[in-house]
Amino acid sequence: MPRRTIRTAALALTGAATAATVAAGCLLGAAHHAPAPAATTTDTAAVVQVVRTRLASLETQADRAGRTAQLADEAVLEHDSAANRAAAGRAEAALASLAHEQTPELTGLLDRLTALGVRVDAGTSDGATATTAALVGRTRALRAVSFARNQIGDPYGFAKAGPGRWDCSGLTMKAYQAVHVGIGGHSATAQWLDAKRHHRLVSYQRRQPGDLVFYGAPGAVYHVAIYVGHGRMIEAPYPGKRVREVPVRSAGRLSQVARPA
């Protein structure tokens, strides 16, 4: 069931991505040839709606694959057998592959908004622009997750921020640098303090993919990871280990996460 579900989800994603690309392309074409500002405004709103709809579809696909991976991990915890470990490995590989496939489309959706001249300003009172800002933030967060996922398997390196070797804060810092978002520098504590200073801390119960998960105490954080959804995170753990995706640990975890984007 898990393998068939993931394969079906991947096929559905491919077909839906093609349809969304065609639809968004048509809308952009209409915007390019619009004879009056009113028509351009209408087309811009239509593209924003396309982005919202497509993001929801991508999230549904990721949720299915993520749930499969979560169930496979739980099966290993209940009974650590070779068969269960192999199933968990396949589910994790499928989830990683799906995330990798989604990233170019997410980037394309953001580029379409930029091509229409949509300004991203979360402080504006304009409802459509505020919605766009939220969508852009989500796109950046998912792209940061994809960057971190692409480093899985690299060895831990104390005070390293790639390429090829990472410590915990080096990985999260570079993941967000890849989408042009600063998170406070190469230090888990600095990243927590930066999020606090910019009012970007939210309750762990409200966590979303791309949020930073901290361990330690407020102002004295010893570890940071990036949340990927479905109760899982990507981390560069400690010497002797490699960058990995694992279930979020509760021991030592702070009650708040940071939302950089």
Side-chain angles (χ1 to χ4, degrees):
M1 173 263 185
R3 295 182 66 183
R4 184 173 181 181
T5 300
I6 293 172
R7 183 163 56 249
T8 301
L11 289 173
L13 174 62
T14 302
T18 301
T21 300
V22 172
C26 291
L27 286 167
L28 279 173
H32 181 72
H33 298 291
T40 300
T41 301
T42 300
D43 290 333
T44 299
V47 172
V48 171
Q49 184 56 46
V50 167
V51 173
R52 293 182 64 186
T53 301
R54 186 60 192 142
L55 280 175
S57 177
L58 291 174
E59 186 172 5
T60 297
Q61 297 294 340
D63 185 69
R64 291 174 182 170
R67 180 58 178 164
T68 299
Q70 181 181 0
L71 291 174
D73 279 340
E74 292 173 357
V76 172
L77 292 175
E78 292 176 4
H79 180 57
D80 188 358
S81 67
N84 282 347
R85 287 196 301 273
R90 290 193 298 270
E92 288 190 14
L95 181 59
S97 176
L98 185 62
H100 182 74
E101 291 170 8
Q102 286 182 346
T103 299
E105 186 181 356
L106 289 167
T107 303
L109 292 171
L110 177 56
D111 289 345
R112 286 189 172 90
L113 294 175
T114 302
L116 283 178
V118 177
R119 293 184 57 194
V120 181
D121 182 2
T124 181
S125 60
D126 181 278
T129 306
T131 298
T132 301
L135 294 173
V136 170
R138 174 165 173 74
T139 299
R140 287 174 176 157
L142 292 176
R143 288 168 65 194
V145 168
S146 182
F147 178 95
R149 181 168 276 119
N150 286 338
Q151 317 315 315
I152 289 177
D154 284 354
Y156 179 93
F158 178 72
K160 298 295 183 181
R165 299 179 70 85
W166 311 85
D167 68 2
C168 65
S169 59
L171 178 63
T172 53
M173 177 182 70
K174 287 293 186 179
Y176 270 100
Q177 279 186 3
V179 293
H180 310 293
V181 174
I183 60 173
H186 192 171
S187 159
T189 296
Q191 291 174 13
W192 185 89
L193 290 172
D194 183 78
K196 181 180 180 181
R197 182 165 55 253
H198 291 96
H199 308 290
R200 292 174 179 164
L201 294 174
V202 299
S203 168
Y204 177 77
Q205 281 66 38
R206 296 172 53 201
R207 62 195 181 278
Q208 295 179 5
D211 289 351
L212 302 181
V213 182
F214 298 103
Y215 290 83
V221 179
Y222 64 81
H223 186 58
V224 60
I226 187 165
Y227 185 70
V228 301
H230 318 291
R232 301 169 64 80
M233 65 184 185
I234 294 173
E235 64 174 356
Y238 47 82
K241 290 292 185 179
R242 294 177 179 270
V243 177
R244 62 189 184 180
E245 181 177 325
V246 295
V248 176
R249 298 181 298 277
S250 58
R253 175 178 54 74
L254 271 67
S255 62
Q256 292 177 305
V257 296
R259 185 159 300 156

